Amino acid sequence: MADSTCCVATPRKRLMIFSGRSNPALAARIADKLDVSLGSVQLKTFSNGEIYARYEENVRGSDMFIVQSPLDDINSELMELLIMIQAAQLASAKRITAVMPYYPYSRQDKKSAAREPITARLVATLLEAARVDRVLSMDLHQGQIQGFFEIPVDHMTAVPMLADYFRYKDFGDTPLVAVSADAGGVKLAKRFINRVPGCDLAVLTKMRPDHNRAETMHFIGDVQDKIAIIVDDIIDTAGSVTSAIDTLYDRGAKEVYVTATHGIFSGPACERIRQSPVKEIVVTDTVNVRLGPDDPKIKVLSVADILARTIRNVFEDESVSEIFAGDNQLF
Ligand code: R5P
């Protein structure tokens, strides 16, 4: 007798979000936007520095998103992510996505001198070895980092959101000019001006006499009597932007603003910004930016909505580039 069964009922997909310890505030905002609760996971560090992770609820068959954006203790937070991925694999999660809005070591993406590592590639290798299924990141230092992976990488951008902030800010009739902080950032600045009608483009070049030191070398463009907005992907020690700010005031800019996706603000960054004549610095919460009362010039916008929409579309097998009208793959 012929078997009359033509299909087998499968369990419904289940979206679960967990957070590592690097940016729980962002993870909570994303979960809130998705109207789900953050999953419960026990994370601790033993006295010798080893990390332990255990999911405190059933993750079997789930479409799991782990939010981790390593910053303060960057190597431990990366290791914690790898451990969380492996624990999820061993607990039979169906698909695991590492949500890494800031990709650690992204600036080590090529050999610039003999005998250097390409650590951004090594991070990709480690993530794949832990058996992650997908990676979701934002404004990678170079888009080519996607090519370090064999698995899908969703590369999102905060630049339209940052550009809209300046587009709708009241600058009166003063013309705007977006300034790329270095030659490699021109695509980012072009993306910015595409979104801000009438905004001109200028370019700085810099040299690094040493790691964590930056000096502006050349300037192409005109900022005289204009509002200059420096556009960069990362502010780390703020050496690049404070050098650029001084150059732009020297060149006659009326006011100088800065915007960047990832506000790392390590070491001397906040002190440099406090002493700088910059009007305002606008970054996002891709990393856990901690500001004090002495940092009123720094404003943080949230990328939670962009990431929540991306996660929703990945979960529902919809396009993620449509969130940006296809405009998120130009890096
Ligand atoms: C470098 O190429 C990046 O785009 C940033 O300009 C750089 O990482 C910023 O670093 P810092 O703030 O330490 O100068």
Side-chain angles (χ1 to χ4, degrees):
M1 196 171 122
D3 184 353
S4 60
T5 306
C6 63
C7 59
V8 177
T10 54
R12 289 178 55 193
K13 287 210 290 183
R14 195 157 56 107
L15 188 159
M16 298 188 88
I17 300 192
F18 290 87
S19 179
R21 287 179 285 183
S22 60
N23 198 348
L26 174 63
R29 278 179 216 123
I30 294 170
D32 194 50
K33 298 264 177 202
L34 287 166
D35 207 15
V36 298
S37 305
L38 273 182
S40 178
V41 58
Q42 186 187 10
L43 295 167
K44 58 185 180 187
T45 305
F46 294 113
S47 73
N48 70 347
E50 290 179 5
I51 294 165
Y52 172 84
R54 177 175 175 265
Y55 294 98
E56 296 184 311
E57 54 191 295
N58 177 25
V59 300
R60 185 178 297 275
S62 65
D63 197 354
M64 187 193 272
F65 295 82
I66 303 173
V67 182
Q68 184 80 313
S69 221
L71 176 69
D72 286 333
D73 192 355
I74 199 158
N75 298 311
S76 295
E77 289 166 353
L78 178 59
M79 189 68 198
E80 181 173 273
L81 174 62
L82 299 172
I83 291 170
M84 290 177 77
I85 292 167
Q86 199 215 30
Q89 275 290 349
L90 296 176
S92 302
K94 190 163 190 177
R95 181 170 69 170
I96 302 162
T97 302
V99 181
M100 309 168 74
Y102 173 65
Y103 186 90
Y105 291 97
S106 61
R107 287 171 287 180
Q108 293 186 40
D109 58 356
K110 60 182 172 304
K111 285 179 74 163
S112 306
R115 300 176 294 284
E116 281 188 342
I118 304 177
T119 316
R121 165 67 198 260
L122 176 61
V123 171
T125 304
L126 291 170
L127 286 161
E128 290 187 347
R131 297 188 44 218
V132 76
D133 294 295
R134 311 178 63 90
V135 170
L136 198 176
S137 194
M138 291 197 96
D139 292 329
L140 290 164
H141 184 57
Q142 292 295 336
Q144 292 88 323
I145 290 172
Q146 293 167 96
F148 294 169
F149 289 88
E150 298 286 335
I151 56 172
V153 178
D154 293 308
H155 184 197
M156 309 312 282
T157 178
V159 174
M161 179 183 78
L162 295 168
D164 284 351
Y165 174 83
F166 287 98
R167 176 179 182 170
Y168 297 112
K169 199 172 169 77
D170 184 10
F171 291 116
D173 292 334
T174 312
L176 303 184
V177 52
V179 183
S180 173
D182 57 39
V186 173
K187 280 186 192 167
L188 206 67
K190 271 179 70 186
R191 181 190 294 273
F192 184 97
I193 65 167
N194 286 346
R195 192 93 177 182
V196 184
C199 186
D200 210 348
L201 180 65
V203 182
L204 291 160
T205 67
K206 71 181 173 201
M207 63 168 260
R208 284 199 180 276
D210 205 349
H211 289 153
N212 285 140
R213 279 192 56 212
E215 283 170 18
T216 300
M217 294 294 293
H218 306 100
F219 173 74
I220 304 161
D222 175 19
V223 291
Q224 183 74 43
D225 299 323
K226 296 181 183 176
I227 305 279
I229 306 164
I230 299 169
V231 182
D232 208 345
D233 58 336
I234 299 169
I235 301 173
D236 187 353
T237 63
S240 302
V241 291
T242 48
S243 167
I245 291 161
D246 293 343
T247 302
L248 296 176
Y249 276 117
D250 288 349
R251 297 276 175 160
K254 185 176 172 194
E255 289 178 352
V256 180
Y257 292 75
V258 177
T259 190
T261 302
H262 312 291
I264 295 177
F265 301 124
S266 75
C270 288
E271 193 49 42
R272 282 176 169 165
I273 291 165
R274 280 174 210 136
Q275 288 175 12
S276 161
V278 67
K279 292 294 284 184
E280 188 178 39
I281 295 195
V282 184
V283 295
T284 79
D285 59 355
T286 54
V287 291
N288 190 12
V289 183
R290 281 191 212 94
L291 299 174
D294 294 338
D295 304 308
K297 287 195 245 179
I298 301 175
K299 185 177 180 73
V300 183
L301 306 182
S302 183
V303 291
D305 190 54
I306 300 170
L307 293 173
R309 282 189 286 151
T310 307
I311 289 170
R312 171 71 66 200
N313 284 17
V314 169
F315 176 66
E316 292 178 349
D317 297 328
E318 298 290 342
S319 160
V320 297
S321 62
E322 81 179 11
I323 294 171
F324 295 97
D327 195 26
N328 65 318
Q329 300 291 350
L330 297 182
F331 292 91

